[in-house]
Amino acid sequence: YSPGSSTALNGSEIYYLRSTGVWVQANATDSTAGAPYLLGVGMGAPQTVGVLLKGFVRIASTEILNFPGSGNIDGLPVYMATTAGHFDFTAPSSSGNVVRIMGYAIDDETGDVLVYFDPDKTWVEIA
């Protein structure tokens, strides 16, 4: 889905839909950078290939922080990271950070991770 953005989005990265109709990289360091918004995974040029809103997607290992190791990820939650656009296997923990589950790891292969992307509709800001 992409209503107005014409800028190419990096594959395997998390974006939120701004009220202006443009997709922007989500970031857990700021509650206004994706926490309450519609989230999606970039697939390339949004007007051509769109943005994944829910479903299975292979995420490049370079876009997932705190990878626990090959073979040890099945069923683990992945969170919005404090690095813009990234996923994280560790929930943010600093004051002002946002904790929001992006989905669950299903399997890893050659460093990439198959994720069931289904962002939780709730989020928490750490005091």
Side-chain angles (χ1 to χ4, degrees):
Y1 173 74
S2 185
S5 178
S6 60
T7 303
L9 306 180
N10 297 328
S12 297
E13 291 190 359
I14 305 168
Y15 292 85
Y16 71 96
L17 184 60
R18 207 178 254 175
S19 61
T20 59
V22 176
W23 290 98
V24 180
Q25 286 181 323
N27 188 328
T29 60
D30 181 354
S31 64
T32 64
Y37 296 96
L38 176 68
L39 297 173
V41 176
M43 306 294 282
Q47 293 293 343
T48 307
V49 295
V51 176
L52 178 74
L53 299 179
K54 183 177 181 177
F56 292 92
V57 62
R58 189 158 296 283
I59 303 297
S61 60
T62 56
E63 303 299 331
I64 301 181
L65 306 176
N66 297 305
F67 195 85
S70 182
N72 297 319
I73 65 160
D74 297 7
L76 292 178
V78 288
Y79 301 89
M80 181 188 309
T82 56
T83 300
H86 285 64
F87 291 82
D88 200 327
F89 275 105
T90 302
S93 58
S94 297
S95 179
N97 286 173
V98 169
V99 178
R100 185 171 176 185
I101 293 175
M102 297 290 97
Y104 295 89
I106 303 300
D107 193 19
D108 61 311
E109 181 179 321
T110 320
D112 291 346
V113 178
L114 180 62
V115 169
Y116 177 59
F117 183 75
D118 184 18
D120 198 310
K121 307 321 178 245
T122 58
W123 54 277
V124 175
E125 184 174 355
I126 299 171

